[in-house]
Amino acid sequence: MQEKHPIDPLDPNKRIAFSASADGIAIEHAIRTGQHNMRVKHFHPEYEIFYILEGTRQFFFGNRHFTASKGDLIIIDSNMVHMTKSDETDTGHNRIILYITPEALERLDSRYLQLNLKRFLHEHYGIYHLTKQQHEQFMDLYYLFKNEARSMRKYHVRAIELAVAQYLLHLHRDFEKVPASAVFYETDERFKHVYEIADYLSANLDRDISLEDLSERFFLSSYYICRVFKKVTGYNIKEFVNVHRVNRAKYLLETTDRSIALIAEEVGYRSVTHFERVFKDYMNMSPLKYRKTQNLYVSFIIPEMGEV
């Protein structure tokens, strides 16, 4: 087990209260001061369960904008493009994030077949306001994780795995049908415009769509589209298209034997060189190297604890 330093060396406004990882399951408790906008336009294989203890966060995922605050639990699916940022009055936040790798979730699914946890998390991404009992269940998991990670008693990794399985069982029971406490996305006119544009862009990644095309299609000025799209999503139009294209290309590299050139064309890049450059910007490696190393999964989160 290895814990991080109290202050994140890359972000002086972020204090790490606790972080540890065990066999593909990780948890990080962090407290931030001041405003913070995610600079990395990203997706990752890990499933993410984000719980807010204090403060407010703006989220954009699934092409929808959500506002989450104290007591809200955010479920983000594997490889889902997402963004989080501060609102205009934000003075900081206190949150805990549980990460689960696909490999760890598949391991749990193989042991508890009827739960079908992968399908559950895929179908129930979103934001939920927890009841008092649900809050206590999450905090019980957090404290158990912390105690087991620090004590490193015999079978501590297995104890953490069992606790996570039990917690997901509670979620599965509670969210079998979307509960009345679900936090729904913003729906005023400004957001609707952005949702329509985001849905259109993500459904037509293979096409070159200009700002003028969007302006004509949605009867909105180019200036308005640029301003409101960035404000709501955290992305400009080019960033939004690129991150979704790279995510799609990543999937095709993992699941097909199509050539790099064919994949580049399929996701909308007319130049293989341009595709490779953009892909490397997001994935820190070329498409060819990614294909060769995709089975050698290395978690980006936190160093592993040793099993005893």
Side-chain angles (χ1 to χ4, degrees):
M1 186 272 290
Q2 181 175 347
E3 293 185 37
K4 293 195 173 188
H5 299 296
I7 302 296
D8 189 327
L10 300 178
D11 186 350
N13 294 322
K14 178 182 177 183
R15 182 166 66 86
I16 304 295
F18 174 75
S19 65
S21 178
D23 204 8
I25 300 171
I27 207 161
E28 183 188 73
H29 179 192
I31 302 166
R32 287 189 182 274
T33 57
Q35 296 199 349
H36 171 71
N37 297 327
M38 183 187 292
R39 292 186 293 273
V40 179
K41 328 299 183 186
H42 81 169
F43 49 85
H44 47 71
E46 289 80 3
Y47 297 86
E48 184 173 327
I49 299 176
F50 186 121
Y51 185 54
I52 300 179
L53 296 169
E54 297 288 345
T56 301
R57 300 296 291 159
Q58 306 291 314
F59 283 86
F60 188 83
F61 56 84
N63 287 351
R64 298 296 182 265
H65 179 278
F66 303 83
T67 298
S69 55
K70 179 179 179 179
D72 286 345
L73 186 82
I74 301 93
I75 298 176
I76 298 175
D77 195 10
S78 173
N79 286 313
M80 174 171 276
V81 174
H82 58 284
M83 170 70 72
T84 178
K85 57 191 180 76
S86 298
D87 64 20
E88 295 167 351
T89 62
D90 189 17
T91 59
H93 64 279
N94 181 353
R95 55 76 170 162
I96 300 170
I97 302 180
L98 173 69
Y99 297 100
I100 307 172
T101 67
E103 292 80 4
L105 196 68
E106 287 172 10
R107 191 168 62 246
L108 291 177
D109 263 341
S110 70
R111 293 173 183 172
Y112 310 103
L113 292 173
Q114 291 180 323
L115 291 182
N116 205 338
L117 296 173
K118 181 178 179 180
R119 178 178 177 181
F120 165 69
L121 291 177
H122 177 69
E123 292 180 348
H124 289 81
Y125 71 84
I127 299 182
Y128 303 89
H129 188 74
L130 299 192
T131 64
K132 181 180 178 181
Q133 182 182 15
Q134 290 166 340
H135 163 79
E136 290 172 352
Q137 288 168 350
F138 184 87
M139 295 310 297
D140 284 346
L141 170 63
Y142 171 65
Y143 291 130
L144 182 143
F145 202 126
K146 181 186 287 189
N147 290 336
E148 292 290 343
R150 286 178 168 167
S151 69
M152 297 189 73
R153 292 178 296 176
K154 189 175 183 179
Y155 306 127
H156 60 278
V157 173
R158 299 286 78 81
I160 289 170
E161 187 178 75
L162 286 170
V164 169
Q166 183 180 39
Y167 177 70
L168 293 176
L169 169 60
H170 288 310
L171 281 187
H172 204 306
R173 285 174 169 174
D174 290 345
F175 298 168
E176 189 171 6
K177 294 182 178 179
V178 177
S181 58
V183 178
F184 295 100
Y185 53 82
E186 309 283 356
T187 57
D188 70 28
E189 197 68 20
R190 174 176 57 126
F191 291 98
K192 286 181 179 178
H193 287 156
V194 171
Y195 300 159
E196 290 172 352
I197 294 168
D199 287 344
Y200 180 69
L201 290 171
S202 57
N204 293 277
L205 294 176
D206 59 327
R207 297 178 53 199
D208 288 326
I209 300 171
S210 68
L211 191 56
E212 290 72 24
D213 293 335
L214 294 175
S215 180
E216 290 180 10
R217 181 177 183 85
F218 295 101
F219 304 103
L220 300 169
S221 74
S222 298
Y223 171 77
Y224 176 81
I225 290 173
C226 288
R227 182 174 59 85
V228 74
F229 195 87
K230 176 73 173 180
K231 186 173 181 61
V232 170
T233 70
Y235 303 91
N236 62 40
I237 297 291
K238 183 178 179 180
E239 289 170 340
F240 180 88
V241 170
N242 278 336
V243 73
H244 281 80
R245 282 177 169 176
V246 169
N247 197 16
R248 175 64 180 166
K250 174 178 171 290
Y251 173 78
L252 294 173
L253 289 165
E254 293 168 350
T255 60
T256 75
D257 59 359
R258 294 171 198 166
S259 69
I260 302 300
L262 190 58
I263 289 175
E265 183 178 355
E266 186 168 335
V267 299
Y269 293 103
R270 306 299 170 243
S271 162
V272 175
T273 301
H274 183 210
F275 165 61
E276 290 176 337
R277 184 169 62 249
V278 174
F279 189 92
K280 191 171 183 179
D281 283 344
Y282 284 90
M283 301 300 297
N284 297 315
M285 65 180 73
S286 70
L288 182 59
K289 185 175 181 180
Y290 179 78
R291 171 170 272 170
K292 289 179 178 178
T293 61
Q294 63 177 295
N295 293 323
L296 302 177
Y297 178 79
V298 179
S299 177
F300 77 97
I301 309 170
I302 301 163
E304 290 285 330
M305 296 187 295
E307 177 67 289
V308 176

